[in-house]
Amino acid sequence: MATRPLPSAQTSRRPRFFMRWYYWLLLVIVAGYGLAFAMHWDDRGLLWVLERFESPTERKESIWLPDYQAVIDGKALPGMEKDEASDLAYNPQTKTLFAVMGKNPFLVELNLQGDVLRKMPLMGWSNPEGLTVMANGLIAITDEREHMLSIVKVDADTRELQRDNFPKYDLGTSEDQNKAFEAVAWDSRNQQLLLGEERPPALFTWKSDGSQTLSGDKQKLASNELDIRNLSALAIDPRTGHTLVLSADSHLLLELDETGEQVSFMTLLGGFNGLKKTIPRAEGVTMDEAGTLYIVSEPNLFYRFEKQK
Protein backbone atom coordinates (compact mmCIF):
# COMPACT_ATOMS: atom_id res chain seq x y z
CA MET A 1 0.00 0.00 0.00
CA ALA A 2 1.32 3.37 -0.93
CA THR A 3 1.85 5.73 1.94
CA ARG A 4 0.90 9.42 1.75
CA PRO A 5 3.79 11.74 2.44
CA LEU A 6 3.55 13.72 5.65
CA PRO A 7 3.33 17.51 5.29
CA SER A 8 6.55 19.21 6.04
CA ALA A 9 6.91 21.46 9.08
CA GLN A 10 7.46 24.38 6.74
CA THR A 11 4.10 23.76 5.01
CA SER A 12 2.19 23.49 8.31
CA ARG A 13 3.76 26.61 9.73
CA ARG A 14 2.93 28.77 6.74
CA PRO A 15 -0.88 28.90 7.24
CA ARG A 16 -0.47 29.67 10.94
CA PHE A 17 2.03 32.42 10.17
CA PHE A 18 -0.28 33.84 7.49
CA MET A 19 -3.26 33.88 9.88
CA ARG A 20 -1.18 35.51 12.56
CA TRP A 21 -0.02 38.21 10.10
CA TYR A 22 -3.58 38.69 8.86
CA TYR A 23 -4.96 39.26 12.37
CA TRP A 24 -2.19 41.71 13.23
CA LEU A 25 -2.89 43.67 10.05
CA LEU A 26 -6.60 43.73 10.85
CA LEU A 27 -5.86 44.89 14.38
CA VAL A 28 -3.65 47.73 13.09
CA ILE A 29 -6.34 48.83 10.61
CA VAL A 30 -9.06 48.83 13.29
CA ALA A 31 -6.83 50.69 15.77
CA GLY A 32 -5.84 53.22 13.12
CA TYR A 33 -9.45 53.84 12.17
CA GLY A 34 -10.41 54.23 15.83
CA LEU A 35 -7.61 56.73 16.40
CA ALA A 36 -8.50 58.70 13.26
CA PHE A 37 -12.16 58.78 14.33
CA ALA A 38 -11.32 59.87 17.88
CA MET A 39 -8.94 62.59 16.68
CA HIS A 40 -11.34 63.70 13.91
CA TRP A 41 -8.57 63.35 11.32
CA ASP A 42 -11.22 62.84 8.65
CA ASP A 43 -12.73 66.23 9.46
CA ARG A 44 -9.31 67.85 9.69
CA GLY A 45 -8.41 66.34 6.33
CA LEU A 46 -11.56 67.74 4.73
CA LEU A 47 -10.93 71.16 6.24
CA TRP A 48 -7.30 71.02 5.04
CA VAL A 49 -8.53 70.35 1.50
CA LEU A 50 -11.08 73.17 1.70
CA GLU A 51 -8.37 75.53 2.95
CA ARG A 52 -6.51 75.02 -0.35
CA PHE A 53 -9.44 76.63 -2.21
CA GLU A 54 -9.69 79.75 -0.03
CA SER A 55 -8.83 82.90 -1.99
CA PRO A 56 -6.14 85.34 -0.77
CA THR A 57 -8.92 87.80 0.08
CA GLU A 58 -10.78 85.23 2.19
CA ARG A 59 -7.56 84.31 3.97
CA LYS A 60 -6.83 87.97 4.68
CA GLU A 61 -10.29 88.44 6.17
CA SER A 62 -9.75 85.56 8.60
CA ILE A 63 -7.19 84.74 11.29
CA TRP A 64 -5.77 82.01 9.04
CA LEU A 65 -4.02 79.76 11.56
CA PRO A 66 -1.82 77.83 9.05
CA ASP A 67 0.35 80.95 8.68
CA TYR A 68 1.28 81.12 12.38
CA GLN A 69 4.69 80.08 13.70
CA ALA A 70 5.90 79.72 17.28
CA VAL A 71 8.34 82.46 18.29
CA ILE A 72 8.30 81.52 22.00
CA ASP A 73 8.13 77.75 22.30
CA GLY A 74 7.31 76.29 25.71
CA LYS A 75 8.77 78.95 28.01
CA ALA A 76 8.41 77.84 31.64
CA LEU A 77 6.55 80.12 34.05
CA PRO A 78 8.93 80.08 37.05
CA GLY A 79 7.75 78.52 40.29
CA MET A 80 4.40 77.35 38.87
CA GLU A 81 5.21 73.73 38.01
CA LYS A 82 2.54 72.41 40.41
CA ASP A 83 -0.12 75.08 39.84
CA GLU A 84 -1.57 73.99 36.45
CA ALA A 85 -2.06 76.92 34.05
CA SER A 86 -5.74 76.83 33.08
CA ASP A 87 -6.48 79.83 30.86
CA LEU A 88 -5.09 83.05 29.41
CA ALA A 89 -6.56 86.43 28.45
CA TYR A 90 -5.20 89.62 26.90
CA ASN A 91 -5.89 93.03 28.46
CA PRO A 92 -5.88 95.77 25.77
CA GLN A 93 -5.78 98.54 28.41
CA THR A 94 -2.58 97.38 30.12
CA LYS A 95 -1.10 95.51 27.11
CA THR A 96 -0.46 92.57 29.42
CA LEU A 97 -1.76 89.01 29.81
CA PHE A 98 -3.65 87.44 32.72
CA ALA A 99 -3.45 83.72 33.40
CA VAL A 100 -5.42 81.70 35.94
CA MET A 101 -3.99 78.74 37.82
CA GLY A 102 -6.51 76.03 38.63
CA LYS A 103 -4.90 73.61 41.09
CA ASN A 104 -3.62 76.28 43.48
CA PRO A 105 -6.03 79.15 42.68
CA PHE A 106 -4.37 82.42 41.81
CA LEU A 107 -4.26 85.00 39.06
CA VAL A 108 -0.94 85.92 37.45
CA GLU A 109 -0.16 88.93 35.26
CA LEU A 110 2.40 88.42 32.48
CA ASN A 111 4.02 90.65 29.91
CA LEU A 112 3.77 89.68 26.25
CA GLN A 113 7.05 87.75 26.46
CA GLY A 114 5.71 85.49 29.20
CA ASP A 115 7.56 87.13 32.10
CA VAL A 116 5.72 87.14 35.45
CA LEU A 117 4.78 90.63 36.70
CA ARG A 118 2.67 89.73 39.77
CA LYS A 119 0.68 86.90 41.38
CA MET A 120 -2.69 87.42 43.09
CA PRO A 121 -4.23 84.64 45.25
CA LEU A 122 -7.86 83.80 44.45
CA MET A 123 -9.58 83.34 47.82
CA GLY A 124 -12.82 81.33 47.78
CA TRP A 125 -12.42 79.71 44.37
CA SER A 126 -12.39 75.92 44.19
CA ASN A 127 -11.24 75.18 40.63
CA PRO A 128 -10.89 78.31 38.44
CA GLU A 129 -10.55 77.15 34.84
CA GLY A 130 -11.52 79.99 32.49
CA LEU A 131 -11.08 83.75 32.40
CA THR A 132 -11.59 86.66 30.04
CA VAL A 133 -10.89 90.39 30.24
CA MET A 134 -13.94 92.59 29.74
CA ALA A 135 -13.88 96.41 30.03
CA ASN A 136 -12.73 98.82 32.76
CA GLY A 137 -10.55 96.30 34.55
CA LEU A 138 -13.25 93.64 34.85
CA ILE A 139 -12.30 89.98 34.53
CA ALA A 140 -14.81 87.10 34.33
CA ILE A 141 -13.65 83.83 35.93
CA THR A 142 -15.37 80.45 35.74
CA ASP A 143 -15.13 77.87 38.53
CA GLU A 144 -15.66 74.50 36.84
CA ARG A 145 -16.13 72.48 40.02
CA GLU A 146 -18.76 74.83 41.48
CA HIS A 147 -20.43 75.72 38.15
CA MET A 148 -20.01 79.39 39.00
CA LEU A 149 -19.00 82.54 37.13
CA SER A 150 -17.62 85.59 38.96
CA ILE A 151 -16.88 89.05 37.55
CA VAL A 152 -14.04 90.67 39.49
CA LYS A 153 -12.35 94.06 39.38
CA VAL A 154 -8.55 94.16 39.01
CA ASP A 155 -6.39 97.29 39.01
CA ALA A 156 -2.71 98.12 39.47
CA ASP A 157 -3.03 97.92 43.28
CA THR A 158 -4.78 94.53 43.45
CA ARG A 159 -2.82 91.99 45.48
CA GLU A 160 -5.49 89.32 46.13
CA LEU A 161 -9.14 88.69 45.30
CA GLN A 162 -11.95 87.49 47.59
CA ARG A 163 -14.73 85.82 45.60
CA ASP A 164 -17.47 86.87 48.02
CA ASN A 165 -16.69 90.53 47.29
CA PHE A 166 -17.89 90.24 43.68
CA PRO A 167 -21.07 89.26 41.80
CA LYS A 168 -21.50 85.51 41.20
CA TYR A 169 -23.68 83.72 38.63
CA ASP A 170 -24.82 80.10 38.73
CA LEU A 171 -23.96 78.38 35.43
CA GLY A 172 -26.35 75.49 36.09
CA THR A 173 -25.89 71.78 35.59
CA SER A 174 -23.93 70.14 32.78
CA GLU A 175 -24.33 66.81 31.00
CA ASP A 176 -21.04 65.77 32.57
CA GLN A 177 -20.80 67.49 35.96
CA ASN A 178 -17.06 66.77 36.15
CA LYS A 179 -16.38 68.27 32.71
CA ALA A 180 -18.44 71.44 32.93
CA PHE A 181 -17.92 75.12 32.08
CA GLU A 182 -14.21 75.44 31.45
CA ALA A 183 -14.03 78.33 28.96
CA VAL A 184 -15.22 81.93 28.72
CA ALA A 185 -14.54 84.78 26.26
CA TRP A 186 -15.80 88.37 26.11
CA ASP A 187 -17.47 89.22 22.79
CA SER A 188 -17.47 93.03 22.74
CA ARG A 189 -19.05 93.25 19.26
CA ASN A 190 -22.15 91.38 20.34
CA GLN A 191 -22.06 92.49 23.99
CA GLN A 192 -22.07 89.00 25.43
CA LEU A 193 -19.98 86.38 27.15
CA LEU A 194 -19.26 83.21 25.20
CA LEU A 195 -19.14 80.16 27.48
CA GLY A 196 -17.79 76.70 26.67
CA GLU A 197 -18.49 73.32 28.25
CA GLU A 198 -15.54 70.95 28.19
CA ARG A 199 -17.21 67.61 27.38
CA PRO A 200 -19.26 67.08 25.37
CA PRO A 201 -18.12 70.36 23.76
CA ALA A 202 -20.89 72.96 23.72
CA LEU A 203 -21.19 76.76 23.41
CA PHE A 204 -23.46 79.20 25.25
CA THR A 205 -23.91 82.98 25.28
CA TRP A 206 -24.89 85.28 28.11
CA LYS A 207 -25.79 88.90 27.39
CA SER A 208 -23.85 91.69 29.10
CA ASP A 209 -23.22 95.41 28.68
CA GLY A 210 -19.62 94.93 29.78
CA SER A 211 -20.38 95.64 33.44
CA GLN A 212 -20.62 93.20 36.35
CA THR A 213 -24.31 92.64 35.54
CA LEU A 214 -25.47 89.89 33.18
CA SER A 215 -28.88 90.04 31.46
CA GLY A 216 -31.39 87.20 31.33
CA ASP A 217 -29.93 83.67 31.27
CA LYS A 218 -27.38 81.83 29.19
CA GLN A 219 -28.48 80.58 25.76
CA LYS A 220 -27.17 77.44 24.05
CA LEU A 221 -25.70 77.79 20.55
CA ALA A 222 -25.63 75.21 17.77
CA SER A 223 -22.31 73.37 18.06
CA ASN A 224 -22.27 71.22 14.93
CA GLU A 225 -18.75 72.39 14.02
CA LEU A 226 -17.19 71.41 17.34
CA ASP A 227 -15.77 68.11 16.11
CA ILE A 228 -13.17 68.00 18.88
CA ARG A 229 -12.64 65.62 21.78
CA ASN A 230 -12.92 68.33 24.44
CA LEU A 231 -13.15 72.13 24.69
CA SER A 232 -10.37 73.69 26.77
CA ALA A 233 -10.57 77.43 26.07
CA LEU A 234 -12.13 80.15 23.92
CA ALA A 235 -10.97 83.52 22.58
CA ILE A 236 -12.44 86.17 20.28
CA ASP A 237 -10.20 87.83 17.68
CA PRO A 238 -10.80 91.59 18.12
CA ARG A 239 -10.04 92.26 14.42
CA THR A 240 -12.30 89.74 12.66
CA GLY A 241 -14.74 88.74 15.40
CA HIS A 242 -13.87 85.10 14.71
CA THR A 243 -13.76 82.58 17.57
CA LEU A 244 -10.75 80.49 18.55
CA VAL A 245 -11.60 77.11 20.06
CA LEU A 246 -8.82 75.22 21.84
CA SER A 247 -8.85 71.46 22.48
CA ALA A 248 -6.16 69.90 24.67
CA ASP A 249 -7.24 66.33 23.96
CA SER A 250 -7.32 66.87 20.18
CA HIS A 251 -4.05 68.91 20.18
CA LEU A 252 -5.92 71.44 18.04
CA LEU A 253 -6.75 75.12 17.70
CA LEU A 254 -9.81 75.77 15.54
CA GLU A 255 -11.04 79.02 13.93
CA LEU A 256 -14.80 79.57 13.56
CA ASP A 257 -16.37 82.49 11.71
CA GLU A 258 -19.31 84.64 12.91
CA THR A 259 -21.79 81.96 11.80
CA GLY A 260 -19.93 79.17 13.61
CA GLU A 261 -18.46 77.61 10.45
CA GLN A 262 -14.92 76.21 10.48
CA VAL A 263 -12.42 78.43 8.66
CA SER A 264 -8.93 77.14 9.52
CA PHE A 265 -7.06 75.09 12.11
CA MET A 266 -3.63 74.64 13.63
CA THR A 267 -2.32 71.38 15.04
CA LEU A 268 -0.38 71.61 18.29
CA LEU A 269 1.85 68.64 17.55
CA GLY A 270 5.63 68.86 17.44
CA GLY A 271 7.05 69.58 14.00
CA PHE A 272 4.14 71.82 12.96
CA ASN A 273 3.83 75.64 13.05
CA GLY A 274 7.34 76.03 14.44
CA LEU A 275 6.80 73.77 17.48
CA LYS A 276 9.78 71.61 18.38
CA LYS A 277 7.67 69.43 20.68
CA THR A 278 3.96 68.75 21.08
CA ILE A 279 2.23 71.15 23.46
CA PRO A 280 1.58 68.78 26.42
CA ARG A 281 -1.88 69.98 27.44
CA ALA A 282 -2.99 73.30 25.94
CA GLU A 283 -5.47 74.89 28.36
CA GLY A 284 -5.62 78.60 27.51
CA VAL A 285 -5.58 80.80 24.41
CA THR A 286 -5.90 84.51 23.64
CA MET A 287 -5.11 87.01 20.88
CA ASP A 288 -4.17 90.70 20.92
CA GLU A 289 -5.21 93.51 18.58
CA ALA A 290 -2.12 92.93 16.39
CA GLY A 291 -3.14 89.31 15.77
CA THR A 292 -0.42 87.77 17.94
CA LEU A 293 -1.51 84.47 19.45
CA TYR A 294 -0.71 83.25 22.97
CA ILE A 295 -1.23 79.80 24.52
CA VAL A 296 -0.58 78.35 27.98
CA SER A 297 -0.24 74.64 28.70
CA GLU A 298 -0.22 72.57 31.84
CA PRO A 299 1.79 72.48 33.91
CA ASN A 300 3.37 75.93 33.39
CA LEU A 301 4.36 76.47 29.75
CA PHE A 302 3.93 79.65 27.70
CA TYR A 303 3.78 79.93 23.88
CA ARG A 304 3.64 82.89 21.54
CA PHE A 305 2.79 82.61 17.82
CA GLU A 306 3.11 85.27 15.14
CA LYS A 307 1.76 85.34 11.60
CA GLN A 308 4.56 84.87 9.07
CA LYS A 309 2.82 85.77 5.80
Side-chain angles (χ1 to χ4, degrees), residues 90-306:
Y90 173 70
N91 188 333
Q93 282 76 46
T94 60
K95 310 296 183 186
T96 59
L97 302 165
F98 285 89
V100 68
M101 301 291 160
K103 188 174 182 179
N104 300 305
F106 65 89
L107 191 67
V108 57
E109 186 174 10
L110 309 167
N111 65 20
L112 302 185
Q113 302 301 317
D115 300 317
V116 177
L117 302 177
R118 58 173 166 162
K119 295 165 65 173
M120 295 157 276
L122 294 174
M123 315 301 293
W125 278 267
S126 175
N127 183 220
E129 286 289 337
L131 87 161
T132 188
V133 174
M134 301 171 72
N136 303 315
L138 297 180
I139 296 179
I141 302 174
T142 61
D143 191 314
E144 185 180 27
R145 188 170 299 150
E146 298 191 12
H147 304 263
M148 192 77 65
L149 180 140
S150 305
I151 302 179
V152 306
K153 176 80 172 179
V154 176
D155 58 31
D157 298 322
T158 301
R159 292 296 173 262
E160 70 173 31
L161 294 161
Q162 293 279 350
R163 195 179 74 169
D164 290 342
N165 294 339
F166 304 100
K168 299 184 291 292
Y169 296 89
D170 186 358
L171 293 173
T173 59
S174 299
E175 185 173 331
D176 186 339
Q177 290 291 84
N178 296 319
K179 300 293 181 181
F181 289 92
E182 177 148 338
V184 61
W186 169 237
D187 183 355
S188 60
R189 292 189 180 195
N190 297 304
Q191 291 290 283
Q192 62 188 12
L193 287 171
L194 183 64
L195 296 157
E197 277 187 313
E198 181 181 3
R199 189 180 290 121
L203 295 175
F204 297 79
T205 59
W206 203 329
K207 286 294 182 182
S208 168
D209 60 1
S211 70
Q212 290 177 300
T213 302
L214 300 181
S215 305
D217 200 357
K218 69 181 192 297
Q219 303 295 320
K220 189 169 185 178
L221 296 177
S223 304
N224 298 330
E225 297 293 300
L226 295 180
D227 49 358
I228 48 180
R229 296 178 65 192
N230 80 316
L231 193 159
S232 300
L234 295 166
I236 304 292
D237 176 18
R239 305 161 306 151
T240 63
H242 288 191
T243 301
L244 291 169
V245 181
L246 183 67
S247 174
D249 290 351
S250 297
H251 296 290
L252 183 76
L253 182 62
L254 187 63
E255 176 188 2
L256 306 180
D257 66 15
E258 302 93 327
T259 66
E261 295 293 322
Q262 295 183 10
V263 178
S264 70
F265 74 96
M266 181 172 76
T267 181
L268 306 179
L269 300 175
F272 295 91
N273 296 87
L275 291 169
K276 294 180 180 178
K277 297 181 180 179
T278 297
I279 298 180
R281 185 162 187 84
E283 290 287 337
V285 64
T286 193
M287 180 169 276
D288 64 23
E289 65 273 349
T292 303
L293 181 66
Y294 307 88
I295 289 177
V296 288
S297 170
E298 291 182 358
N300 64 329
L301 300 178
F302 174 85
Y303 299 81
R304 172 174 166 147
F305 296 82
E306 295 178 0

Side-chain angles (χ1 to χ4, degrees), residues 22-59:
Y22 174 80
Y23 284 128
W24 275 112
L25 177 62
L26 183 62
L27 181 63
V28 169
I29 291 173
V30 171
Y33 177 81
L35 180 61
F37 179 81
M39 296 294 288
H40 298 279
W41 287 346
D42 52 342
D43 300 305
R44 296 289 78 77
L46 177 59
L47 182 55
W48 183 85
V49 171
L50 293 175
E51 284 180 346
R52 306 308 104 189
F53 293 96
E54 294 283 351
S55 69
T57 300
E58 290 171 322
R59 296 185 183 195

